[in-house]
Amino acid sequence: MAVMGIADALRIGIIEEMRADESVFCLGEDIDIENGMGGAFTVTRGLTKEFGPERVINTPISEILIAGAAVGAAMTGMRPIADLQYGDFLFCMMDQLVNQAAKMCYMSGGTVKVPMVMRAPCGATNRGAQHAQSFEGFFTHVPGLKVICPSTPYDAKGMIRQAIQDDNPVIVFEHKLLYGGLRHEEGAIQTLGEVPEDGYVIPFGKAAVRQEGTDMTIVANLLMSYKAQEAAAMAEKDGIRCEVIDPRSLVPFDYETVEQSVKKTGRLMIIHEDVYTNGWGAQLSSHFAEKCIYDLDAPIVRIATPDTSIPFAPNLENHVIPSKERIYDEIIKLAKL
């Protein structure tokens, strides 16, 4: 076992896969340049020294180029890992992701596979409306794409390795306040954890129960998973025991684990940094209203960012992003219903 943060765990997972399979390569903007950080958040730092510039490719600032190269390389048998400086720029590559990567296997009758990974930093960090979004919900809507969101170092290594080995396109959402590593972010959460040195993988579609409880089920991903656990600890002092579930994988989603929890607790709260309207929590609300309505003792509660662009002013950003205090208040309200 080694203790590390998420950025280092992602790097180790990528290194292990590159060593095991010569078809694996990385590409992106400044992912490993001289005196650089290793991408925007240090994940790819130092890879060129071992694998050389043919497998660690620094691209121009052109997201449409990165996506096109990744899709084309994957279709011809390579396994590209594409790096975005900010996930917001996924919108520059929507045709390649939605109309090409996601559909090629289906359109070819399964004869063409697109085994590519697209890494996308997300989350609000005082960078303004174009560098702060959490839009996992956009991509859960696209058949053919897998969507994952690891929130611990253990999950980061195991899930990035699974993503690289997968024969389908995978989008990896990584919250900027959870990376750790050399780059300091205001408001970052310490995520150091033990990571096995062996080459383990974590299958997609299996949630992690971060905290067991009997009075309420809370489903939250990425940064919100940590805030939910903090709020649950506050509520436990009031005698309310919350079960906190981190989905880890949004597509495929582990409905079974959440369903079993709801049958036990009778209450469901869903928390994400994505906007309220049509965020991925809306799909969960619909699913469990259909499948578990008679197990619920109270209405489903969703906590999310309001339907607004992320403000640049720190006080306004803090106002719109769900806080542990806001989550705690909603836990108390739901427990009384």
Side-chain angles (χ1 to χ4, degrees):
M1 288 282 189
V3 176
M4 64 184 71
I6 286 178
D8 291 334
L10 288 167
R11 184 187 310 109
I12 295 297
I14 290 170
I15 289 172
E16 289 179 355
E17 287 300 311
M18 292 182 74
R19 287 173 177 168
D21 185 349
E22 290 188 355
S23 71
V24 179
F25 72 99
C26 297
L27 73 161
E29 299 162 359
D30 297 340
I31 56 173
D32 195 21
I33 61 174
E34 187 175 355
N35 299 320
M37 292 192 300
F41 297 96
T42 76
V43 172
T44 48
R45 178 175 50 85
L47 294 187
T48 304
K49 183 176 181 180
E50 178 172 351
F51 300 106
E54 291 188 355
R55 295 182 67 192
V56 184
I57 302 171
N58 292 290
T59 70
I61 301 175
S62 175
E63 287 77 17
I64 193 170
L65 178 153
I66 295 169
V71 174
M75 289 175 61
T76 60
M78 302 296 285
R79 292 185 177 270
I81 308 167
D83 179 295
L84 281 172
Q85 291 194 347
Y86 294 93
D88 308 67
F89 305 142
L90 284 167
F91 292 113
C92 297
M93 46 176 74
M94 288 297 278
D95 183 67
Q96 288 88 345
L97 291 175
V98 175
N99 282 330
Q100 309 301 327
K103 293 181 172 64
M104 280 301 166
C105 183
Y106 172 81
M107 292 172 64
S108 67
T111 61
V112 175
K113 294 180 171 56
V114 189
M116 59 175 281
V117 176
M118 184 66 67
R119 295 184 40 249
C122 64
T125 54
N126 296 145
R127 288 182 169 90
Q130 295 177 331
H131 296 73
Q133 298 168 88
S134 295
F135 38 62
E136 304 95 299
F138 269 98
F139 296 94
T140 63
H141 184 70
V142 182
L145 296 179
K146 294 187 177 181
V147 180
I148 64 173
C149 41
S151 62
T152 69
Y154 176 82
D155 291 347
K157 179 185 172 182
M159 296 185 82
I160 195 67
R161 295 197 70 199
Q162 177 64 46
I164 297 167
Q165 294 177 21
D166 203 295
D167 284 336
N168 301 280
V170 182
I171 301 181
V172 187
F173 284 99
E174 306 161 3
H175 201 289
K176 295 190 285 287
L177 295 182
L178 299 181
Y179 276 120
L182 296 177
R183 180 164 182 170
H184 175 71
E185 292 288 319
E186 187 71 27
I189 288 181
Q190 179 63 264
T191 60
L192 287 177
E194 291 188 340
V195 177
E197 295 181 4
D198 66 336
Y200 69 97
V201 297
I202 297 176
F204 299 156
K206 183 59 179 176
V209 178
R210 302 298 186 196
Q211 178 175 313
E212 295 187 355
T214 54
D215 301 319
M216 185 180 305
T217 299
I218 299 176
V219 182
N221 72 325
L222 293 170
L223 180 65
M224 292 300 119
S225 172
Y226 289 88
K227 292 190 177 183
Q229 291 174 70
E230 291 174 341
M234 295 164 63
E236 191 162 3
K237 297 178 182 178
D238 298 303
I240 303 169
R241 300 187 66 243
C242 301
E243 185 146 289
V244 180
I245 299 175
D246 181 348
R248 303 195 291 189
S249 167
L250 297 181
V251 179
F253 191 88
D254 185 0
Y255 289 104
E256 183 179 355
T257 293
V258 179
E259 185 173 330
Q260 292 302 315
S261 178
V262 169
K263 288 181 177 180
K264 176 175 63 175
T265 67
R267 286 173 170 77
L268 175 60
M269 177 180 291
I270 303 162
I271 310 169
H272 55 61
E273 196 171 323
D274 198 354
V275 296
Y276 182 84
T277 300
N278 293 324
W280 61 264
Q283 160 61 21
L284 258 64
S285 297
S286 174
H287 177 90
F288 290 109
E290 293 174 2
K291 303 296 183 181
C292 299
I293 189 67
Y294 297 111
D295 298 307
L296 291 165
D297 299 323
I300 298 170
V301 171
R302 282 186 290 147
I303 301 176
T305 299
D307 297 340
T308 182
S309 296
I310 303 299
F312 177 72
N315 61 323
L316 295 179
E317 180 187 281
N318 292 336
H319 177 72
V320 300
I321 301 300
S323 64
K324 65 180 181 182
E325 291 80 11
R326 177 180 163 195
I327 297 169
Y328 167 75
D329 290 341
E330 292 297 331
I331 289 173
I332 298 301
K333 292 178 186 176
L334 181 56
K336 293 178 179 178
L337 295 178

